[in-house]
Every structure is written in C-alpha cells, then in structure tokens.
Amino acid sequence: RDSVDLARQLDHPSVLTLALMLAAELRRLRREAAATEELAAASLALANEHGLSLFSAVTGLLRGWAQVEQGKLEEGIAGLRRSLDAYQAIGADSGLPQYLAMLAETHARAGQTAEGLEAVGQALEVIDRTDERWWEADLYRLRGELMLAASGSGTEAESCFLQAIEVARDRRARSLELRSTMSLARLWRDQGRTAEARQILAAIYCCFSEGHDTRDLEEAAVLLAELASCGAAGSTSA
C-alpha cells in the first residue's frame, strides 16, 4: 500500500504500473481474486496507455487468473492465453513456470484436464531448461490434482503430492507445502486414512504463527476440523 501511495505521488507511469502489478501479485498469492482483478486492471490500463509491453503481459495474466477465480471462465482463460503469448513473444523467461502454473490452475477449474496437464508439462520443461525452481512444488501439486480429476488414480496423485511436499520442504516454502499437504490430506480422507491425513496436515498448519485470515490457512483449519470430526465419529462407532 505504501509503495502504491508513493508511486501515485511521484506520478511516474512505469513506477505506478509496477507498484500496482506487484500489489496485484501479492493479492493473488493470498488468493484474493476481486482485489487482484482491480489492481491488475488498473496496472494494465496504465501499461497499455504508455506502451509498457512487459507489464501489460504480466498484469494481463494476473487479471485473467482473477477472472477465472470469480467464475468468468472463458474470458479469463482467453486473457491468460493471450497475455502468455505476448509475454513469450517479447522473449521473457523469468517467472514463466509460475505463469504456466496459473494457466494450468485455471484449466483445472474449468474441468479441462488435458489442457491443464499440458501447461504443467510445459512449465516443468522450462524449469529443466532455466533451473528456475521456486514454483516447482506447486506444479507437482497441480499435476496430482489434474491426474486425479482425469483418471481418478489415487496412486499417481499421491505420488505427485508427496513429491510436491518434498520439494516444498527442500525449498522451505511453507505456503506451498501447506497447499500440497491439503491436497494429500483430502486424498487420504477420501481413502479412509483420516488419522494420517489429520496428522500430516496438523504438523504443517502449526508452523504458521500469522496469516490465519488467508484462504489457504482458513481452508486448512476447516479441513482439520472435518478430519477431527471424522476421527471422533469413527471412535464412537468403534
């Protein structure tokens, strides 16, 4: 907020465009779709007005993701693909695995599993080529979710989720570890492995001392309560 306020005071188009873009990215990481779209739209308008092609492509990606999250599937996916093409057309590489992960995530939300898996595969190829691995864990998580949706194979999905958790722990990426662990916990819950699911999720959830108002941690708390309830019901039945 401070950077956006300062950028407005400076009244420099590229500085304000960047500040709004970074603010939108932070909101996306917090999974706040409406705020992401508002900030990205403001940044995109400035970028287009002043011919800032790199910023235009990135903010277009952020806006497309936010639109899909709010149910505007066709519009959001089209915007994501258009912005991704523009980003690659100017020869940009940095951040590409994350942007392809955003595309995969939106395809998953739309039930387009083949397209989602293709985007994940492309992102992992970029990682092998560039060694930009900071978003790698979430790509394995997404691959597991997409495989589960496509074939219902719990074995393949579990392998992906475990790989995602391992990579996240190696990078000390707690938020990505939490997301991957939630995916695994849901799978184990559906397989009747409630106690194991609760144990592994509680271990990572307890590592967080702040951010409990973010969607990831709110969903983790709900899932933990559900798993505790299932465990109590099982004990009563026994």
Side-chain angles (χ1 to χ4, degrees), residues 201-237:
L201 182 56
I204 179 62
Y205 182 82
C206 291
C207 292
F208 289 86
S209 59
E210 60 178 341
H212 291 89
D213 60 337
T214 58
R215 277 187 64 188
D216 282 343
L217 283 165
E218 286 177 345
E219 290 177 5
V222 170
L223 182 54
L224 277 170
E226 179 187 333
L227 293 169
S229 176
C230 290
S235 299
T236 302
S237 299

Side-chain angles (χ1 to χ4, degrees), residues 4 24 34 39 69 75 91 105 135 163 185 197 209 215 217 229 235 238:
V4 171
L39 289 161
E69 284 291 301
E75 182 181 358
E105 187 178 1
W135 205 253
Q163 187 174 10
S209 59
R215 277 187 64 188
L217 283 165
S229 176
S235 299

